[in-house]
Amino acid sequence: MALGKNYQGQDCTLARALELVGERWTLLVVRDALYGVRRYGDFLAHLGIPRAVLSQRLQTLVDAGVLERVRYSQSPPRDEYVLTEMGRELWGPVYLLAQWGERNLSKAGPYRVFHHVTCGARIDPHGLCPSCGGRPPLEETEVRPGPGADLLRDDPVSVALRRPHRMLVPLPG
Amino acid sequence: MALGKNYQGQDCTLARALELVGERWTLLVVRDALYGVRRYGDFLAHLGIPRAVLSQRLQTLVDAGVLERVRYSQSPPRDEYVLTEMGRELWGPVYLLAQWGERNLSKAGPYRVFHHVTCGARIDPHGLCPSCGGRPPLEETEVRPGPGADLLRDDPVSVALRRPHRMLVPLPG
DNA sequence: TTCCGTCAGTTCATTCAATGAACCTTGGAG
DNA sequence: CTCCAAGGTTCATTGAATGAACTGACGGAA
């Protein structure tokens, strides 16, 4: 999408949040980052996003402090994009929005399901673990393919996500 | 913004949700509807959205089942846009996103705060009532102006929201 | 040292949506 | 009959997304 950037005069923090993460593709980039995607080429292949748009979104998110650009190779010089604490906090909204989509827009079963690894239980639609009753931190959360999972996509991230994967752990491995 | 509408090939319900509510302005329209805004002219004045965009968004939301168009006057014929259950369920994601914006992007205090009217307590950043420990339903939630509230705006909705207001109750009254 | 390939971008022409001003339509009120 | 309001639609302009092509740094193989 091409979302304009300013919702001027909106006396609401939702508007400020949307100026940043409400642009087309942005929340999908963040979702991938929550899964553990860190590299330009992996975002590109997994999202099918135009290169120019990806570059611009990554830059915007880095500038805003949602992502941090970290050098992981000196030669050749290579950077990866890692979520900051501010970025990791987007897990709540992202999860609830995805659950809403699943309840209301999805015909087949869920593409992916989320488990609290320390309990083994599946996280409920509100983000709570039915076993311990708590709100599992991202580090204790695991993505698993659901019954509606698409097994045809063959980009590295999609392939890696065919088996259970701890959130934030670098993908594709 | 101009968000494209299709994130094809995304094996994630988040993408489907964003195709619908991820377009520019859409989530702000929903937020206003959650406050109780129902009329074309009130959305227009409160959001400062172009008329053509508002018409298109309302139509899309009605088609998707997020809003329902209800006739409230036969002569002259007048309709209002009322949230369906599917639309009311967006409160969770909307609230969390606004809280995220408040923690991370807001310089001043919050524009608005939310209280569980049956307990009187202020709802916490996760959407829970610290008094009863539960997740207050929208009908028991009240919006109140916060310390950072903008008192200068004089459209009917902004004026009405200067005093506490029960969510979903028609605005501007 | 030359050639090839990869990664991570940038550039550019085209397409499509947002914007905002102006206009239109329906129906009441005076 | 005229005026006004609500709720739109139309249209020219602007700006962003798209996708293909190009660039530039570097490593590895021959």
Side-chain angles (χ1 to χ4, degrees):
Chain A
M1 85 170 62
L3 283 186
K5 297 215 173 64
N6 53 338
Y7 297 99
Q8 293 166 344
Q10 285 308 308
D11 57 341
C12 175
T13 47
L14 178 63
R16 320 219 11 174
L18 289 174
E19 286 177 16
L20 175 56
V21 299
E23 290 185 293
R24 183 152 162 75
W25 293 108
T26 301
L27 232 36
L28 294 175
V29 170
V30 170
R31 176 209 59 183
D32 270 19
L34 288 162
Y35 285 165
V37 177
R38 293 169 169 224
R39 310 247 250 259
Y40 186 90
D42 291 324
F43 286 111
L44 201 64
H46 188 232
L47 293 174
I49 180 179
R51 306 178 82 93
V53 177
L54 178 59
S55 299
Q56 199 249 300
R57 293 297 183 275
L58 290 172
Q59 190 58 57
T60 300
L61 290 171
V62 168
D63 291 346
V66 171
L67 293 175
E68 191 182 0
R69 190 169 179 160
V70 179
R71 178 137 304 186
Y72 69 91
S73 158
Q74 292 301 332
S75 176
R78 293 276 183 272
D79 297 335
E80 52 188 10
Y81 298 90
V82 184
L83 285 169
T84 61
E85 173 59 22
M86 176 178 168
R88 277 177 259 132
E89 286 181 7
L90 279 168
W91 173 235
V94 162
Y95 180 80
L96 284 201
L97 202 50
Q99 293 298 308
W100 180 86
E102 183 173 313
R103 280 195 306 279
N104 295 287
L105 303 171
S106 180
K107 305 168 202 299
Y111 291 110
R112 308 195 191 289
V113 294
F114 299 89
H115 285 253
H116 186 198
V117 284
T118 54
C119 292
R122 180 171 165 196
I123 298 173
D124 80 7
H126 296 299
L128 299 177
C129 172
S131 172
C132 66
R135 179 180 310 280
L138 257 184
E139 292 75 11
E140 296 173 13
T141 300
E142 194 176 71
V143 213
R144 300 183 190 171
D150 181 351
L151 301 175
L152 299 175
R153 303 187 60 206
D154 60 351
D155 63 278
V157 174
S158 294
V159 170
L161 286 176
R162 283 186 201 148
R163 42 191 84 264
H165 174 79
R166 192 76 69 102
M167 299 293 284
L168 296 178
V169 171
L171 270 179
Chain B
M1 79 172 63
L3 284 185
K5 296 216 178 59
N6 54 338
Y7 297 97
Q8 293 166 348
Q10 285 308 309
D11 58 341
C12 176
T13 48
L14 178 63
R16 320 217 14 171
L18 289 174
E19 286 177 17
L20 174 56
V21 299
E23 290 186 292
R24 184 151 161 74
W25 293 108
T26 301
L27 233 34
L28 294 175
V29 170
V30 170
R31 176 209 60 183
D32 270 19
L34 287 161
Y35 284 165
V37 177
R38 293 169 168 223
R39 311 247 251 256
Y40 186 91
D42 291 325
F43 286 111
L44 201 64
H46 188 232
L47 293 173
I49 181 178
R51 306 177 82 92
V53 177
L54 177 59
S55 299
Q56 199 249 302
R57 293 297 184 273
L58 290 172
Q59 189 60 56
T60 300
L61 290 172
V62 168
D63 292 346
V66 171
L67 293 176
E68 191 182 1
R69 190 169 177 158
V70 179
R71 178 135 305 184
Y72 69 91
S73 156
Q74 291 302 331
S75 178
R78 291 278 183 270
D79 298 336
E80 53 189 10
Y81 297 91
V82 183
L83 284 169
T84 61
E85 173 58 23
M86 176 179 168
R88 288 191 295 268
E89 285 181 7
L90 279 169
W91 173 236
V94 162
Y95 180 80
L96 284 200
L97 203 51
Q99 292 298 308
W100 179 86
E102 182 173 313
R103 279 196 306 279
N104 295 287
L105 303 171
S106 181
K107 305 168 203 298
Y111 290 112
R112 306 194 192 291
V113 296
F114 299 89
H115 285 252
H116 186 198
V117 283
T118 55
C119 293
R122 179 169 165 197
I123 298 174
D124 79 7
H126 296 299
L128 300 178
C129 171
S131 172
C132 65
R135 181 180 310 281
L138 257 184
E139 292 75 10
E140 296 174 14
T141 299
E142 195 175 71
V143 214
R144 300 184 190 169
D150 181 351
L151 302 175
L152 298 176
R153 304 187 59 207
D154 60 351
D155 62 279
V157 174
S158 294
V159 170
L161 286 175
R162 280 186 204 151
R163 42 191 83 265
H165 174 79
R166 191 76 69 100
M167 300 292 284
L168 297 178
V169 171
L171 269 179

